[in-house]
Amino acid sequence: MKSILDQNFYELLEVQPDAPTDEIERAYQIAHSTYDTGSLALYSVFEEGDAVVLRERLDTAYRVLSDSASRREYDAAIAAECAEVDLEANGNNGGSVGPLEIELELPLEIEFEAEAEPQIIASSSVELGEFDDFEDDPEDTVYDGDRLRRARLRRELELEHIASITKITPTYLSFLEEDRFDDLPAPVYVRGFVTAYARCVGLDPALVARSYMERFESTAPPKRSRKKNLFARS
Amino acid sequence: MKTGSKKKGARTGTERAAPRLIALGGGKGGIGKTFLAANLSVALSRLGLEVVAVDADLEGSNLHTCLGVEPPPMSLADFVADREVDVGKLAAATSIPNLRLIAATHANLWSPQPSDEQRVALVGHLRKLPADIVLIDLGAGTHPAVMDYYLSADEGVVVFAPEPTSVENGYSFMRAAFYRGMHRWMSDEPLRDLIAQAMDQHNERGIRTPLDLLRAARALDPAGGRRLEKLVHRLRPRIILNEARSATDIKMGFAIKSVCLKYFGIEADYLGYVNHDDVVRKSVLARKPLVLSHPKSDAAIYVGRIARKLAAGSFRSKAVRPKARSNAPAPTHRKL
């Protein structure tokens, strides 16, 4: 049995690794209400500190798994990790789902907004229906940071507002807008960030992610330095 | 009754598989444990299963009242007082076909609870009862006797109501079951010591949660820690959410299941919910099981649903078992 910090995103959301998108959606809805502040089911078991960590992990898990591209990337990362563990530990850990040894390259000094009200960021949610009217950009539009910012300003949205919806820190959001690829985390997370950002500002997430990631990956250093792992086990 | 003929000869012992022991608890009083135990017993018996309902609540016995039967002349109190050593003889027939009751009335007020040895003997006797299901209605709280019955049973049902008091006591109940179960099933002495220390909630080792315990166990003895993790799987609480009034309440069963996994590291099943219904009070006032007095009410239908889920295990084992009894009554609603 693994502690919350060792569980991979599928284990966190309590779904099978091959779960379809709608099941992940449903699992997140349940997890979201279960671990929400003031949830009755948490009463007397989880301490608030543990619950905050858990909520952040669940949100990250959902952000990555709800987008098919970032999910594929994550799956590949898990598979690679499993193979590595198998080689190292002589099959001792050889389960179907590997432990989360994927480096979460979130620098320690940048923290999630703990007070921000977590919101469901799926395009299917009713609350965000207003964000779903996508701009009619041509297919081959290049979505760089500048374009993202313009879309945001057109909607008169503050970065903090997007941060509170997506639960991505404003610092990362501004890195996105400034194309500061070196300061951004691994591609798998950036894809999740871009997708969530695009949804908020009314752009087509798939188009934006494809275009943004193309530029991100072509300019990012091939072997990114491994930063301190926020969720490292002691 | 049929019991008489069944008891004759050693024949029954070879033909009959041991009954499934299902214990129903939940920590808090007044959340409907006894109501559910009574109605599930009736519903299970109406599915064609031989059921013995056991009132293990010697300090607050009223399973007989919920079942609407007169207090039987003999009860578990006679077993505790050593007046009757054969628990099988305490199982009194009820007016409901296939259902017998071991009551807990007229308990000794000075010392109602059985001794450790008597508890072990009691469970042994229950396992030998000629029945398909023995349903044990546990008292409130986490008294060692309550936890012993719960841990001895093949399946444990934990009842929750959607209110903080019940949630808190329900988790206390699960916590007690977790630590007591691990202590009971673990054979390695150093790890047993560790578990005993962890039961003190302000222990010096800083073990706060079941997961902390498993981590500490692994650090102490990796192989023993792995054995301990396997033992955790023996706990598989089945959750019933009683007195549901809204969709949010109903969803709480899933939330509790998730907390079981993330906090205790144990898989739980959400067996189902029973809605809050005024007819429940009416049935209790009329001292008649709801599933008989108001069979068409929503609450009775939900109870029936849970009973069918519980029964599924028995029907599976019945199918592989050689013909149990030729005079078994034809099952009425085997909708599975």
Side-chain angles (χ1 to χ4, degrees), chain A residues 19-190:
Chain A
T21 325
D22 59 331
E23 202 179 312
I24 287 174
E25 182 75 30
R26 209 165 46 237
Y28 178 70
Q29 305 267 8
I30 291 173
H32 188 268
S33 57
T34 301
Y35 298 101
D36 204 1
T37 321
S39 157
L40 186 51
L42 289 193
Y43 185 62
S44 81
V45 278
F46 279 107
E47 289 176 16
E48 184 52 23
D50 297 337
V52 168
V53 173
L54 186 48
R55 278 199 288 275
E56 285 171 0
R57 300 273 292 133
L58 285 165
D59 286 344
T60 312
Y62 175 68
R63 253 196 326 261
V64 171
L65 296 187
S66 58
D67 176 77
S68 59
S70 63
R71 182 176 175 184
R72 263 199 306 281
E73 219 165 306
Y74 179 74
D75 287 347
I78 296 188
E81 191 68 37
C82 272
E84 211 173 288
V85 170
D86 278 353
L87 278 178
E88 278 172 15
N90 214 1
N92 206 7
N93 247 338
S96 56
V97 261
L100 180 76
E101 299 284 342
I102 320 295
E103 292 282 326
L104 292 170
E105 299 184 355
L106 305 174
L108 264 176
E109 65 269 24
I110 298 173
E111 304 217 327
F112 282 104
E113 300 276 281
E115 289 145 81
E117 181 66 22
Q119 289 188 27
I120 293 147
I121 53 173
S123 59
S124 61
S125 93
V126 188
E127 296 97 310
L128 292 183
E130 54 175 304
F131 295 125
D132 281 348
D133 49 337
F134 300 127
E135 307 283 328
D136 273 330
D137 283 328
E139 273 253 57
D140 55 355
T141 309
V142 175
Y143 291 99
D144 55 8
D146 200 42
R147 212 189 153 78
L148 292 181
R149 179 167 43 231
R150 270 190 282 129
R152 170 171 70 79
L153 294 175
R154 199 164 51 228
R155 299 193 154 244
E156 295 175 337
L157 294 171
E158 295 296 328
L159 267 189
E160 280 68 22
H161 181 74
I162 298 188
S164 74
I165 294 176
T166 59
K167 290 212 71 196
I168 303 166
T169 68
T171 317
Y172 273 154
L173 294 174
S174 63
F175 290 171
L176 276 186
E177 292 188 347
E178 289 158 30
D179 288 335
R180 282 168 64 177
F181 297 153
D182 284 347
D183 295 314
L184 284 166
V188 60
Y189 299 106
V190 175

Side-chain angles (χ1 to χ4, degrees), chain B:
Chain B
M1 283 263 334
K2 278 179 293 184
T3 357
S5 64
K6 247 184 295 173
K7 282 226 171 125
K8 271 177 209 153
R11 190 173 54 96
T12 46
T14 53
E15 276 183 13
R16 243 208 134 91
R20 274 164 73 214
L21 260 54
I22 302 176
L24 192 141
K28 191 178 174 305
I31 52 168
K33 287 186 300 296
T34 303
F35 159 78
L36 283 169
N39 280 280
L40 284 171
S41 302
V42 176
L44 285 165
S45 66
R46 282 161 63 95
L47 290 171
L49 294 166
E50 285 280 344
V51 181
V52 178
V54 181
D55 192 344
D57 191 357
L58 281 147
E59 291 168 66
S61 140
N62 43 26
L63 187 58
H64 58 284
T65 307
C66 282
L67 281 170
V69 302
E70 291 299 314
M74 301 276 274
S75 90
L76 272 188
D78 296 289
F79 176 76
V80 175
D82 284 329
R83 277 191 294 272
E84 176 58 71
V85 288
D86 184 359
V87 173
K89 287 198 183 136
L90 300 175
T94 66
S95 55
I96 298 147
N98 296 339
L99 178 62
R100 284 175 298 146
L101 168 69
I102 297 181
T105 46
H106 58 268
N108 186 313
L109 298 175
W110 178 253
S111 120
Q113 294 292 352
S115 64
D116 291 1
E117 295 75 27
Q118 282 178 322
R119 280 183 233 157
V120 175
L122 172 60
V123 172
H125 281 290
L126 295 180
R127 287 206 179 280
K128 289 193 195 104
L129 289 175
D132 295 312
I133 289 182
V134 173
L135 190 73
I136 308 167
D137 178 29
L138 301 175
T142 54
H143 186 280
V146 172
M147 300 326 292
D148 269 359
Y149 303 140
Y150 182 79
L151 292 167
S152 303
D154 302 308
E155 283 161 58
V157 177
V158 183
V159 180
F160 279 86
E163 54 201 37
T165 44
S166 161
V167 171
E168 184 172 32
N169 288 174
Y171 287 141
S172 300
F173 183 86
M174 286 194 185
R175 208 178 281 122
F178 182 93
Y179 289 116
R180 248 191 122 74
M182 293 304 106
H183 189 261
R184 178 179 170 147
W185 296 326
M186 194 70 209
S187 47
D188 312 23
E189 271 315 316
L191 286 182
R192 280 171 64 96
D193 278 351
L194 180 71
I195 298 163
Q197 287 173 36
M199 284 198 238
D200 173 2
Q201 307 218 4
H202 286 295
N203 62 81
E204 286 170 7
R205 285 171 174 267
I207 298 175
R208 289 179 308 143
T209 68
L211 283 168
D212 287 346
L213 171 66
L214 293 180
R215 203 174 303 131
R218 265 199 306 269
L220 192 70
D221 167 14
R226 274 196 295 279
R227 279 201 296 284
L228 195 60
E229 280 185 36
K230 282 205 183 109
L231 289 176
V232 172
H233 296 296
R234 285 174 66 172
L235 291 165
R236 194 185 172 107
R238 314 190 79 184
I239 294 154
I240 296 179
L241 198 102
N242 193 29
E243 295 179 48
R245 292 166 200 253
S246 67
T248 314
D249 290 349
I250 293 168
K251 281 190 207 148
M252 217 181 92
F254 295 108
I256 292 168
K257 182 176 146 81
S258 175
V259 169
C260 282
L261 195 63
K262 293 221 183 342
Y263 181 83
F264 293 98
I266 52 179
E267 289 273 354
D269 299 309
Y270 185 17
L271 212 51
Y273 59 90
V274 178
N275 62 327
H276 177 85
D277 198 332
D278 287 340
V279 294
V280 172
R281 185 180 142 78
K282 277 187 201 150
S283 78
V284 175
L285 284 177
R287 280 189 275 143
K288 216 171 168 212
L290 179 79
V291 289
L292 298 180
S293 66
H294 299 81
K296 295 230 165 73
S297 66
D298 287 349
I301 289 167
Y302 295 137
V303 167
R305 228 188 253 172
I306 294 170
R308 282 199 296 279
K309 277 196 201 160
L310 277 177
S314 290
F315 287 136
R316 267 198 299 278
S317 57
K318 243 187 173 179
V320 290
R321 189 196 303 173
K323 201 172 175 200
R325 216 167 39 251
S326 52
N327 62 343
T332 41
H333 359 6
R334 281 202 181 181
K335 271 198 295 187
L336 282 175

